[in-house]
Amino acid sequence: QVTLVESGGGLVEAGGSLRLSCAASGSISSISAMGWYRQTPGQQRELVARITSGGSTTYADSVKGRFTISRDNEKKTAYLQMNSLKPEDTAVYYCNVGLILVRDGRYLEVWGRGTLVTVSS
């Protein structure tokens, strides 16, 4: 069994910062890409940032220059540093991880349960 545990969400004023963490645990052979998505009520889930196993990153245009994604492969953890937060960043943020299982070498994509980020104006 593989689980993702997200943390770091909360309430912050506009202009403030938050750091999200996503830790993967279980019988994991290796992890490929790790990403953060966000969703607001009535809207589709959208990619915020993604980082490959080699460290290449992709960002949504709306967060470029403000958010930074990183990962610690030993800890199987991804981070999202969010600076200069805006009210429009308010959403539930979900972690997404692509990984290979130990038991059968199967590729699996796993989602976290989400963490709420609220930015007040």
Side-chain angles (χ1 to χ4, degrees):
Q1 184 177 359
V2 174
T3 58
L4 298 182
V5 177
E6 298 144 325
S7 61
L11 174 64
V12 65
E13 290 186 352
S17 298
L18 284 174
R19 188 193 194 208
L20 305 183
S21 298
C22 169
S25 62
S27 298
I28 301 169
S29 175
S30 63
I31 294 177
S32 56
M34 306 181 82
W36 289 95
Y37 292 72
R38 66 187 181 187
Q39 188 170 25
T40 55
Q43 300 297 317
Q44 285 192 333
R45 195 171 294 186
E46 64 173 4
L47 174 68
V48 176
R50 183 175 179 271
I51 184 167
T52 67
S53 57
S56 296
T57 57
T58 303
Y59 294 94
D61 287 343
S62 60
V63 306
K64 282 180 181 176
R66 300 187 298 123
F67 291 11
T68 302
I69 189 170
S70 60
R71 60 190 283 170
D72 184 326
N73 291 326
E74 279 202 24
K75 295 182 178 178
K76 298 184 179 66
T77 299
Y79 305 96
L80 184 68
Q81 178 66 43
M82 304 185 294
N83 298 329
S84 302
L85 281 161
K86 305 175 180 180
E88 51 263 44
D89 294 318
T90 295
V92 177
Y93 284 69
Y94 296 90
C95 180
N96 174 267
V97 173
L99 52 88
I100 303 294
L101 297 175
V102 170
R103 67 167 187 259
D104 55 12
R106 183 166 54 101
Y107 176 81
L108 192 65
E109 201 165 298
V110 183
W111 288 91
R113 291 189 172 186
T115 183
L116 178 62
V117 171
T118 303
V119 184
S120 64
S121 56

